[in-house]
Amino acid sequence: MTKARFLIGALTGALLLPAPLHAQDHSGHDMSGHAMDHSQHGEGMAMPSHDGHDAHEGHAMPMNAGAPSMAQDIPQGPPPPEAFSGPDHAADMYFPGEDMAHARHMVRHEMGGMGTTIVMLDRLEAKLGKGSDGLSWEGALRTGGDIDRLWIKSEGEAAFGEGIEDAEVEVLWGHAIGAWFDLQAGVRQELGPDPDRTQVSLGVEGLAPYMFDISAQAFLSTKGELTARLEAETDQRLTQRLILQPRAEALFSAQRIAERGTGRGLTSLEAGVRLRYEFARQFAPYVGVEWQKKFGSTADYARAVGDDPDRVVAVAGLRAWF
């Protein structure tokens, strides 16, 4: 019964509604006569207007037409006097002034004015090789701020059962000359069985592109001897704790120094790789291998005293800091 009522209502509505002017069955008929040329809309035919758009007919409308100009929203005059009526720091209205002054002081201190001190033992290692068994070390103490700091560095070598062969101590002032490099200047004292040397030191140290730690120094002794040293190393992280570190160090001299067994030009080169495991960032034992090569007259001096100027040694040691 419901379905019959629905059909009767639909049929009645269809009969009462007026048919469209051109409504007809177009199947099988050519409609080319009814096609409208839309290019004639502007010639004698009024198009239906859209709400509020007739007034703009024939004009290019910007995307943000009708929106207020941003320049009209920006105040053009000075700030009103009441803008300066409150405290210099709004937090002082809610917290004790002494507490906020202390907090601001700590922010300035910790964001650039804070001094730090660190002792770094880069290498403490035993070297095992033909005629070269011994111990070597390299470490530094650094104290100061981000811009200026004091460095105390030491490195050297000692043969097992024979004492120190070569050692040095440097006291340097470091000054940041950029985001990545420090200028370092000071004094180096060389120690050992050979005649001691006191030298003026000048160099740069920092982080080069591709994460290479670079150090370049020149030394001028009180006897007028000019020497230089260039070091480079980088850390290749294999895992979160296992790090491979290639390292190279080259020494140069501007003249022969016979009493120290040094020739002119490139005197020696050490290149090696060390694999360390960081049980903690502050404690990392390592093993590695290093190639040591002396050149020119320096190699001749080494042969004269029974040393091998070209050798490969195994190393095992510890890297730590605190």
Side-chain angles (χ1 to χ4, degrees):
M1 187 68 179
T2 303
K3 184 180 295 186
R5 289 180 178 177
F6 173 78
L7 292 175
I8 294 172
L11 181 59
T12 304
L15 293 175
L16 294 177
L17 287 175
L21 184 62
H22 299 289
Q24 56 179 305
D25 184 4
H26 300 295
S27 59
H29 295 274
D30 181 7
M31 295 298 296
S32 59
H34 298 281
M36 179 181 292
D37 183 0
H38 295 282
S39 63
Q40 299 176 356
H41 283 176
E43 301 178 5
M45 175 176 282
M47 293 297 295
S49 63
H50 299 282
D51 294 340
H53 283 230
D54 289 340
H56 304 291
E57 184 176 353
H59 296 278
M61 295 294 294
M63 181 175 293
N64 295 325
S69 173
M70 293 182 61
Q72 298 176 359
D73 300 334
I74 300 176
Q76 302 299 317
E82 56 270 19
F84 302 99
S85 61
D88 292 339
H89 305 280
D92 291 345
M93 299 174 62
Y94 306 97
F95 301 97
E98 293 183 359
D99 293 347
M100 292 309 305
H102 176 71
R104 287 189 288 272
H105 169 75
M106 293 304 298
V107 167
R108 290 192 295 268
H109 177 68
E110 295 178 359
M111 297 302 290
M114 181 172 58
T116 59
T117 299
I118 183 173
V119 177
M120 186 74 187
L121 185 61
D122 285 317
R123 293 185 295 121
L124 178 60
E125 62 189 25
K127 295 186 176 182
L128 304 176
K130 184 179 179 181
S132 61
D133 295 351
L135 180 72
S136 67
W137 73 89
E138 180 180 355
L141 180 149
R142 186 197 72 194
T143 183
D146 293 340
I147 306 299
D148 295 290
R149 60 191 68 175
L150 175 69
W151 292 84
I152 300 176
K153 299 182 179 182
S154 177
E155 65 176 273
E157 296 180 350
F160 291 140
E162 299 182 10
I164 294 177
E165 292 183 344
D166 187 21
E168 66 178 60
V169 177
E170 292 183 86
V171 179
L172 305 171
W173 166 78
H175 179 76
I177 55 176
W180 308 105
F181 278 88
D182 286 355
L183 175 68
Q184 297 179 350
V187 178
R188 179 174 80 155
Q189 180 67 43
E190 291 187 334
L191 307 170
D194 296 325
D196 295 347
R197 289 289 192 278
T198 302
Q199 301 167 320
V200 175
S201 173
L202 179 65
V204 293
E205 181 176 348
L207 190 65
Y210 301 101
M211 304 299 289
F212 278 90
D213 289 305
I214 301 292
S215 174
Q217 293 175 283
F219 310 100
L220 180 64
S221 75
T222 53
K223 295 187 177 184
E225 300 157 346
L226 180 62
T227 57
R229 176 170 59 201
L230 178 63
E231 297 178 78
E233 63 184 42
T234 185
D235 286 349
Q236 301 293 324
R237 190 171 293 275
L238 305 181
T239 69
Q240 290 297 319
R241 295 183 180 270
L242 194 63
I243 295 100
L244 187 69
Q245 183 191 65
R247 179 181 179 275
E249 177 181 332
L251 301 180
F252 305 86
S253 178
Q255 63 278 311
R256 290 189 181 186
I257 310 174
E259 59 185 359
R260 298 187 64 83
T262 300
R264 181 182 300 173
L266 175 62
T267 61
S268 64
L269 174 66
E270 295 180 357
V273 62
R274 290 163 175 80
L275 181 67
R276 73 176 183 266
Y277 185 83
E278 292 185 345
F279 288 99
R281 292 294 303 275
Q282 298 89 341
F283 182 83
Y286 63 83
V287 295
V289 62
E290 185 175 75
W291 173 56
Q292 302 174 348
K293 173 70 174 177
K294 295 181 179 179
F295 301 89
S297 299
T298 307
D300 296 336
Y301 287 128
R303 294 188 190 97
V305 297
D307 289 342
D308 186 359
D310 190 349
R311 60 193 179 190
V312 176
V313 298
V315 301
L318 174 69
R319 183 178 188 266
W321 60 271
F322 53 91

